[in-house]
């Protein structure tokens, strides 16, 4: 997989990158762009907001099933990162 950083705003805590090559594009997508934004939570901690945009090739349409599968994979990655950070707070 090949990725490209589109934006990194340290002040606003926003990171945007695109997957531009690889199996995830299935030869049907030009790219997939992900944006992650962190915000302070009123009760302490932080809130992580993510979005994704799919750029299709030709008349290919993404199904709701495909979107749900992508969200589930992303959630698994976030949970793994969260678990690591909670277990290793000094790193």
């Amino acid at each position: 997989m090949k990725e490209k950083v589109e934006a990194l705003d340290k002040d606003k805590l926003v990171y945007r990158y695109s997957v531009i090559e690889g199996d995830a594009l299935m030869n049907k997508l030009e790219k997939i762009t992900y944006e992650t934004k962190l915000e302070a939570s009123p009760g302490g901690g932080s809130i992580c907001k993510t979005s994704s945009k799919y750029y299709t090739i030709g008349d290919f349409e993404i199904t709701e099933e495909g979107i749900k599968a992508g969200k589930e994979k992303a959630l698994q990655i976030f949970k793994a990162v969260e678990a690591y950070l909670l277990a290793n707070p000094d790193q």
Side-chain angles (χ1 to χ4, degrees):
M1 181 173 356
K2 189 173 187 180
E3 299 176 352
K4 176 183 176 187
V5 175
E6 304 282 354
L8 179 60
D9 188 328
K10 292 180 183 180
D11 295 328
K12 294 182 181 178
L13 302 176
V14 175
Y15 174 58
R16 186 171 52 245
Y17 71 98
S18 295
V19 174
I20 57 173
E21 287 181 18
D23 291 342
L25 301 179
M26 307 171 293
N27 294 324
K28 307 238 184 240
L29 300 170
E30 176 186 338
K31 67 179 181 176
I32 306 170
T33 300
Y34 299 97
E35 182 173 287
T36 301
K37 182 175 184 179
L38 297 172
E39 299 176 352
S41 175
S46 59
I47 298 170
C48 180
K49 295 183 178 183
T50 62
S51 65
S52 55
K53 292 183 183 179
Y54 298 82
Y55 296 84
T56 60
I57 296 172
D59 59 355
F60 176 73
E61 293 185 26
I62 299 172
T63 65
E64 199 63 36
E65 280 181 9
I67 293 171
K68 286 180 182 180
K71 283 182 180 180
E72 183 60 35
K73 287 180 184 178
L75 183 58
Q76 290 173 358
I77 293 169
F78 271 75
K79 287 184 177 192
V81 170
E82 178 185 40
Y84 176 83
L85 292 173
L86 290 171
N88 301 282
D90 296 327
Q91 293 188 14

